[in-house]
DNA sequence: TAATGTAGAGTTTTT
DNA sequence: CTCTACATTA
């Protein structure tokens, strides 16, 4: 067990605690994953059968990484027998085994949130509910949060508090939508994400046999990111752990950032009350970041009231203060970041993958992208439209889904509609109506009823029969061929491939390539499964394809790139250099959070997560004006900047900002561009205080190659190269003290000597 | 039924 | 601004 020596005292104690409930509070960068993997390795070395260990994570990526790390410790043979995966994928697997106990087919479809929302829209239409009042997103989140609190559709209707809330918000009929939604999902042989957890609860609650079976199987349960669990997940855990109570939860309350989605921070705050003999281990030594970063992060999180006590510290180098950039506009902010990033890279040559630019909202990425592109800095954006959510992918998957489960309503609607085959809205509406009033699936309607009776014309009927025939043939293909062969055949026979191939536009080409990528993914899958002696039918591929996300699909080209992502997406990652952009009131913290204490605390935790991603240096930036939906808005710096202890900041203007009266928030129409360049005088005075690296108005036209220049920070040097045109003119300067640097002239403010 | 235009909405989103 | 979803027209 020499690997135990690689741990610090707190980590080792946590690893050695195997029996009984225990909770590991793991500060940011404190080696949480290491503890979890070593703990599993240790358990197995103590003779615990891997078959008896269940390890749950939130992302497939985390699960995969964990599995790899455990494999390298205990060998892949042992690791293969561990039950390690996401909540959703593990429970989906169990529910497919136990499907008959809950009345579902083994090959039930998993609806993703697009499917769910589409179904909700259909239902709203049938009930003639105004989608402007009953916003599908809102209805979905009401249903979702009910399910995550284990409130059934029937219980929802009887819950006066909930129904009262709905009534007050002018949406008294949500309970009806919920009921219909559940019925339709069931008729379609489909479960949504929340159902996977909900039905798992039902299984364990109502089926004593299953309960005993899984309680005995999972003698040891480990849960990562416990702060992000919801009530439904917690209840499953409690049910499974009730027999042995060997449950280990790992998490950090300070990094709980998904409460808006139903995660319940109380789960971690109250764990000790649930299991009174819980042993608590705190991992407080941070191995990731410099002292300045750790201290700054601590000083932020101190402002939250609800938290578990812990003191994160580090023995790493002191590092440098967190630098704050103040800029006049969002574009200048982006340029300042690109500029600083570029000069850092010129100095350190650490590779562009050492940098991350984090932001609160995806919309902020545009300006940043542009600035990076202009500076020829390679970057990669995470987030946005994920691979599996692209239309063409969903279209093809709809055929696969239908081949496996003909009752799948959402797949039916999608497949029948594309490629165009002369079956349109009117026909579908008729089928939908019949299905809804008879509680049937769409497939049952088109295969069982007399279509003429529901008013479908002969010509259309023949087209429908052709479609049914097609799906029948796909069903046979899916059953008999490997997933790759079947997937390829269906893509071709559905006409989808041809349709996309004939589209020669850039987007069309892209779509075609995406389809090719999916099919080559199928090929990999088929070969992998074969190698491991596992089933490789289309059904096996589709089992949890709905549970996959983009990050599971990282097709990394070898170019090292700057990472652009939302702070949410950055959780669990680390970068030597981190820029956090858009630190403005109403953006970060978000406008929708500032009226509620708990929402604001979540934003603050988000900020904490952002800062603690940084290993060497962190930068914060904000703009005084920002375009939002074509309008120019004045912005105030975020309260979060002030909340950081000033000792850890490189932000000389802060004092001036603190004393200023707050600028009334207003929207200025685009028509008055002068406003953008005419900030209040008090602010203008600040910009003269030299420390700010943003200047737009220096005259660079007189510079020439060979000129002796002076730079405020870098000192004296000589220009060796000039390139680009104003305003993006770039100079290469060899400085006497620090050597060669490339500078964008509009920012560098070089003085000709 | 299919294509084309316009209105409206637009935090974060592991699954 | 920019995407998407629906409605109108051909």
């Amino acid at each position: 067990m020499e690997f135990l020596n690689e741990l610090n005292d707190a980590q080792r104690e946590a690893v050695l605690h195997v029996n009984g409930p225990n909770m590991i509070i793991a500060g940011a960068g404190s080696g949480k994953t290491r503890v979890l993997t070593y703990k599993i390795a240790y358990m197995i070395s103590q003779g615990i059968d891997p078959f008896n260990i269940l390890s749950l994570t939130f992302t497939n990526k985390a699960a995969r990484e964990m599995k790899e790390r455990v494999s390298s410790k205990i060998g892949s043979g042992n690791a293969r027998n561990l039950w390690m995966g996401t909540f959703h994928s593990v429970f989906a697997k169990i529910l497919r085994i136990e499907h008959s106990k809950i009345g579902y087919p083994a090959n039930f479809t998993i609806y993703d949130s697009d499917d769910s929302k589409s179904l909700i829209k259909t239902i709203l239409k049938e009930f003639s509910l105004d989608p402007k009042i009953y916003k599908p997103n809102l209805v979905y989140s009401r249903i979702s949060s009910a399910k995550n609190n284990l409130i059934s559709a029937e219980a929802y209707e009887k819950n006066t508090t909930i129904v009262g809330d709905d009534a007050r918000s002018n949406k008294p009929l949500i309970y009806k939508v919920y009921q219909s939604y559940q019925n339709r999902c069931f008729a379609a042989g489909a479960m949504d994400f929340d159902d996977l957890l909900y039905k798992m609860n039902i299984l364990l609650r109502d089926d004593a046999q299953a309960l005993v079976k899984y309680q005995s199987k999972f003698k040891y349960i480990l849960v990562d990111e416990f702060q992000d669990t919801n009530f439904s997940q917690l209840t499953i855990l409690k049910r499974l752990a009730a027999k042995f109570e060997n449950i280990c939860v790992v998490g950090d309350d300070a990094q709980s950032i998904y409460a808006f989605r139903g995660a319940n921070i109380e789960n971690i705050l109250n764990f000790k009350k649930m299991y009174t003999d819980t042993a608590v281990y705190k991992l407080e030594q941070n191995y990731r970041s410099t002292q300045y970063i750790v201290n700054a992060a601590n000083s932020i999180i101190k402002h939250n009231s609800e938290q578990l006590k812990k003191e994160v510290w580090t023995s790493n180098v002191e590092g440098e203060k967190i630098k704050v950039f103040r800029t006049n506009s969002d574009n200048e902010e982006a340029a300042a970041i690109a500029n600083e990033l570029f000069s850092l890279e010129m100095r350190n040559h650490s590779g562009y993958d050492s940098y991350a630019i984090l932001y609160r909202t995806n919309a902020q990425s545009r300006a940043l992208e542009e600035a990076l592109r202009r500076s020829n800095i390679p970057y990669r954006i995470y987030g946005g439209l994920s691979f599996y959510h692209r239309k063409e992918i969903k279209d093809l998957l709809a055929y696969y889904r239908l081949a496996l489960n003909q009752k799948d309503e959402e797949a039916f609607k999608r497949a029948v509609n594309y490629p165009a085959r002369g079956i349109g809205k009117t026909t579908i509406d008729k089928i939908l109506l019949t299905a809804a009033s008879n509680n049937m699936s769409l497939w049952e309607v088109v295969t069982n009823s007399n279509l003429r009776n529901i008013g479908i014309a002969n010509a259309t009927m023949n087209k429908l029969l052709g479609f049914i025939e097609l799906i029948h043939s796909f069903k046979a293909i899916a059953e008999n061929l490997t997933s790759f062969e079947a997937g390829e055949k269906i893509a071709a026979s559905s006409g989808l491939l041809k349709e996309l191939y004939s589209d020669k536009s850039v987007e069309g080409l892209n779509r075609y390539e995406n389809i090719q990528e999916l099919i080559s993914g199928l090929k990999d899958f088929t070969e992998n499964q074969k190698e491991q002696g596992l089933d490789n039918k289309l059904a096996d591929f589709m089992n949890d394809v709905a549970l996959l996300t983009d990050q599971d699909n990282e097709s990394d080209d070898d170019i090292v790139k700057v990472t652009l992502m939302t702070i949410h997406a950055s959780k669990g990652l680390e970068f030597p250099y981190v820029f956090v952009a858009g630190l403005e009131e109403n953006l970060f913290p978000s406008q929708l959070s500032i009226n509620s204490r708990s929402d604001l605390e979540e934003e603050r935790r988000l900020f904490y997560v952002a800062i603690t991603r940084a290993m060497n240096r962190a930068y914060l930036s904000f703009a005084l004006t920002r375009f939002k939906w074509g309008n120019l808005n004045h912005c105030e710096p975020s309260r979060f900047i002030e909340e950081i202890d000033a000792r850890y900041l490189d932000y000389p203007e802060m004092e001036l900002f603190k004393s200023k009266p707050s600028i009334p928030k207003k929207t200025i129409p685009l028509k008055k561009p002068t406003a953008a360049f005419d900030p209040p005088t008090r602010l203008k005075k600040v910009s003269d205080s030299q420390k700010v690296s943003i200047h737009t108005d220096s005259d660079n036209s007189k510079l020439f190659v060979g000129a002796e220049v002076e730079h405020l920070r870098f000192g004296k040097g000589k220009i060796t190269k000039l390139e680009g045109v104003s305003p993006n003119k770039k100079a290469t300067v060899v400085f006497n003290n620090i050597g060669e640097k490339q500078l964008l002239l509009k920012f560098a403010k070089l003085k000709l000597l």
Side-chain angles (χ1 to χ4, degrees):
Chain A
M1 235 80 49
E2 66 287 350
F3 61 75
L4 291 176
N5 297 329
E6 299 165 28
L7 301 170
N8 69 31
D9 291 349
Q11 290 174 331
R12 194 177 317 109
E13 278 177 45
V15 165
L16 295 177
H17 187 128
V18 170
N19 290 302
N22 59 104
M23 172 160 78
I24 304 170
I25 303 300
S30 64
K32 176 190 69 164
T33 314
R34 165 175 285 223
V35 166
L36 262 174
T37 45
Y38 282 43
K39 187 162 190 162
I40 293 169
Y42 176 72
M43 288 163 87
I44 290 168
S45 78
Q46 294 304 104
I48 292 172
D49 190 337
F51 277 105
N52 292 132
I53 300 175
L54 170 66
S55 168
L56 295 170
T57 60
F58 272 84
T59 65
N60 296 300
K61 196 177 163 205
R64 198 175 336 105
E65 280 170 8
M66 184 96 75
K67 202 152 199 168
E68 274 164 21
R69 290 172 71 163
V70 172
S71 295
S72 72
K73 280 263 169 307
I74 62 166
S76 56
N78 267 331
R80 206 185 316 237
N81 297 329
L82 288 166
W83 274 59
M84 186 175 273
T86 65
F87 278 88
H88 290 83
S89 70
V90 167
F91 299 152
K93 196 165 155 191
I94 293 176
L95 289 171
R96 286 194 200 281
I97 298 169
E98 310 292 340
H99 65 97
S100 56
K101 303 267 180 68
I102 48 165
Y104 268 81
N107 61 348
F108 61 81
T109 302
I110 298 172
Y111 275 178
D112 68 16
S113 31
D114 289 343
D115 297 320
S116 299
K117 281 173 201 165
S118 156
L119 178 54
I120 286 170
K121 277 184 206 163
T122 308
I123 294 168
L124 289 174
K125 205 178 284 173
E126 281 166 17
F127 287 165
S128 305
L129 296 172
D130 184 353
K132 286 198 184 90
I133 298 165
Y134 287 81
K135 290 198 180 105
N137 274 325
L138 201 147
V139 176
Y140 177 61
S141 83
R142 291 292 286 175
I143 293 174
S144 171
S145 89
K147 279 193 211 172
N148 286 328
N149 286 301
L150 302 182
I151 296 165
S152 68
E154 295 72 40
Y156 190 104
E157 183 183 359
K158 294 189 191 109
N159 187 314
T160 48
T161 319
I162 296 177
V163 176
D165 284 345
D166 286 345
R168 260 187 299 284
S169 68
N170 202 23
K171 292 178 270 292
L173 295 178
I174 290 182
Y175 78 93
K176 278 193 98 93
V177 181
Y178 183 12
Q179 288 171 357
S180 173
Y181 175 79
Q182 279 313 100
N183 289 338
R184 294 283 276 268
C185 284
F186 186 75
M191 291 196 205
D192 67 14
F193 289 143
D194 305 318
D195 282 333
L196 295 172
L197 308 174
Y198 185 89
K199 303 286 181 194
M200 185 69 196
N201 266 300
I202 300 298
L203 176 72
L204 297 177
R205 186 194 67 190
D206 295 351
D207 193 290
Q209 222 182 335
L211 179 67
V212 170
K213 175 177 170 187
Y214 291 102
Q215 280 180 339
S216 318
K217 173 162 178 52
F218 301 130
K219 288 197 176 78
Y220 297 88
I221 300 172
L222 300 105
V223 186
D224 195 9
E225 307 279 18
F226 185 64
Q227 76 280 354
D228 290 334
T229 51
N230 59 36
F231 180 71
S232 180
Q233 288 160 325
L234 177 74
T235 310
I236 295 169
L237 292 172
K238 280 162 96 172
R239 289 192 159 118
L240 286 175
K243 188 166 177 189
F244 295 103
E245 296 204 344
N246 294 325
I247 178 167
C248 167
V249 301
V250 184
D252 181 5
D253 54 302
Q255 293 184 66
S256 160
I257 54 174
Y258 284 103
F260 74 93
R261 254 174 83 149
N264 190 354
I265 192 170
E266 304 294 318
N267 289 356
I268 194 165
L269 298 176
N270 294 333
F271 189 77
K272 264 183 97 166
K273 289 180 197 149
M274 290 181 252
Y275 298 95
T276 45
D277 54 337
T278 297
V280 179
Y281 302 94
K282 290 183 185 172
L283 309 183
E284 297 176 303
Q285 181 174 2
N286 174 305
Y287 292 97
R288 176 186 296 154
S289 313
T290 65
Q291 289 182 27
Y292 269 121
I293 289 164
V294 169
N295 291 337
N298 282 341
S299 72
I300 293 158
I301 206 68
K302 228 174 42 203
H303 290 85
N304 274 6
S305 57
E306 282 291 305
Q307 55 182 317
L308 296 166
K309 222 177 87 194
K310 66 171 167 301
E311 195 61 51
V312 179
W313 60 280
T314 185
S315 62
N316 288 347
V317 296
E318 186 178 54
E320 287 173 81
K321 292 185 178 183
I322 294 177
K323 190 166 173 62
V324 181
F325 285 138
R326 181 179 60 83
T327 61
N328 287 320
S329 70
D330 44 2
N331 286 327
E332 280 187 18
E333 177 190 43
I337 291 172
N339 189 40
E340 178 70 20
L341 200 157
F342 184 75
S343 56
L344 274 173
E345 178 57 17
M346 289 303 111
R347 217 180 309 154
N348 303 322
H349 300 288
S350 49
Y352 279 122
D353 51 353
S354 325
Y355 306 86
I357 307 176
L358 308 180
Y359 35 79
R360 180 67 239 269
T361 66
N362 285 308
Q364 289 166 257
S365 70
R366 186 172 298 269
L368 294 162
E369 270 182 86
E370 240 165 69
L372 292 173
R373 215 167 17 224
R374 248 180 259 167
S375 307
N376 284 319
I377 298 173
Y379 63 88
R380 179 167 172 190
I381 294 198
Y382 291 76
L385 196 56
S386 101
F387 183 76
Y388 293 99
H389 288 266
R390 301 204 159 123
K391 186 183 177 297
E392 62 276 17
I393 298 299
K394 292 214 70 173
D395 284 339
L396 181 53
L397 290 179
Y399 283 96
Y400 294 172
R401 280 162 58 171
L402 216 46
L404 302 166
N405 171 16
Q406 293 77 43
K407 294 195 293 182
D408 184 335
E409 172 169 340
E410 293 306 309
F412 186 101
K413 284 191 282 194
R414 195 173 263 278
V416 80
N417 185 256
Y418 188 84
R421 52 170 58 81
I423 303 168
K425 196 171 165 293
T426 352
T427 312
I428 297 301
D429 280 346
K430 283 174 193 157
I431 298 168
L432 274 171
L433 201 69
T434 317
S437 52
N438 294 298
N439 222 352
M440 293 160 90
S441 69
L442 305 189
W443 181 259
E444 286 162 333
V445 172
V446 295
T447 50
N448 297 337
S449 10
N450 189 337
L451 294 177
R452 231 162 309 186
N453 288 351
I454 62 173
I456 289 173
N458 259 339
T460 315
M461 206 173 78
N462 285 331
K463 288 174 188 158
L464 261 175
L465 291 175
F467 180 70
I468 293 165
E469 196 49 47
L470 188 74
I471 299 303
H472 270 305
S473 74
F474 289 173
K475 182 171 183 258
I477 289 172
E479 279 164 7
N480 296 316
L481 303 179
T482 67
S483 58
F484 169 58
E485 292 164 334
E488 210 177 26
K489 247 199 166 88
I490 293 175
S493 310
S494 63
L496 216 143
L497 217 49
K498 202 172 131 208
E499 182 88 6
L500 291 174
Y501 189 68
S502 61
D503 182 350
K504 294 296 179 195
S505 67
V506 186
E507 300 85 24
L509 217 64
N510 228 318
R511 283 195 280 267
Y512 187 74
E513 279 167 7
N514 285 335
I515 295 287
Q516 293 298 348
E517 198 179 323
L518 182 73
I519 290 174
S520 74
L522 271 163
K523 192 171 184 183
D524 289 347
F525 175 82
T526 304
E527 281 163 10
N528 267 327
Q529 295 288 102
K530 208 182 278 173
E531 261 171 43
Q532 299 185 45
L534 299 169
D535 293 335
N536 59 1
K537 290 288 192 295
L538 192 60
D540 303 301
F541 176 79
M542 291 300 285
N543 260 351
D544 43 24
V545 79
L547 301 175
L548 295 179
T549 55
D550 248 12
Q551 289 171 9
D552 305 318
N553 216 29
E554 260 167 62
S555 57
D556 242 344
D557 32 355
D558 344 284
I559 310 163
V560 284
K561 292 170 174 170
V562 173
T563 297
L564 268 72
M565 53 169 58
T566 63
I567 301 164
H568 281 92
S570 76
K571 200 173 95 176
L573 305 176
E574 61 181 24
F575 303 89
Y577 301 94
V578 169
F579 295 84
V580 188
L583 274 150
E584 292 138 36
E585 285 293 300
N586 299 325
L587 179 61
F588 192 21
S590 148
Q591 186 164 14
L592 294 134
S593 74
I594 53 182
N595 293 320
S596 138
R597 163 129 212 157
S598 63
D599 287 355
L600 190 62
E601 293 208 347
E602 175 145 319
E603 294 281 309
R604 193 175 284 117
R605 291 192 294 269
L606 195 55
F607 187 44
Y608 177 82
V609 167
I611 298 277
T612 53
R613 297 312 93 202
M615 299 158 79
N616 302 341
R617 289 206 70 175
Y619 293 81
L620 308 177
S621 59
F622 64 93
L624 296 171
T625 63
R626 183 176 293 277
F627 272 97
K628 195 181 179 191
W629 304 330
N631 281 326
L632 191 67
N633 287 288
H634 275 283
C635 314
E636 285 180 72
S638 169
R639 68 190 74 188
F640 291 155
I641 299 177
E642 281 184 29
E643 286 177 3
I644 300 178
D645 191 320
R647 281 179 292 171
Y648 311 127
L649 289 183
D650 174 5
Y651 182 30
E653 310 92 320
M654 172 140 90
E655 284 313 308
L656 290 157
F657 267 90
K658 263 187 174 164
S659 56
K660 85 180 159 47
S662 68
I663 308 163
K665 160 182 93 193
K666 60 182 168 198
T667 303
I668 293 153
L670 190 50
K671 307 255 173 358
K672 297 184 201 160
T674 45
F677 307 105
D678 190 21
T681 44
R682 188 189 287 266
L683 299 182
K684 199 151 195 174
K685 210 159 66 196
V686 175
S687 74
D688 293 333
S689 74
Q690 302 307 337
K691 201 69 189 184
V692 184
S693 67
I694 305 307
H695 299 276
T696 50
D697 52 0
S698 54
D699 180 14
N700 298 311
S701 55
K702 298 188 210 98
L703 298 176
F704 55 92
V705 174
E708 299 277 348
V709 291
E710 186 173 16
H711 184 274
L712 279 168
R713 260 194 9 251
F714 307 132
K716 288 178 186 171
K718 194 176 187 176
I719 296 181
T720 57
K721 197 172 159 196
L722 280 173
E723 53 192 318
V725 287
S726 202
N728 299 314
K729 210 162 164 184
K730 214 160 63 182
T732 306
V733 184
V734 178
F735 289 103
N736 300 340
N737 294 327
I738 57 164
E740 186 178 293
K741 285 187 62 63
Q742 292 195 308
L743 304 165
L744 268 176
L745 292 179
K746 68 173 161 180
F747 303 124
K749 202 173 193 184
L750 293 173
K751 200 167 124 197
L752 193 60
L753 294 177

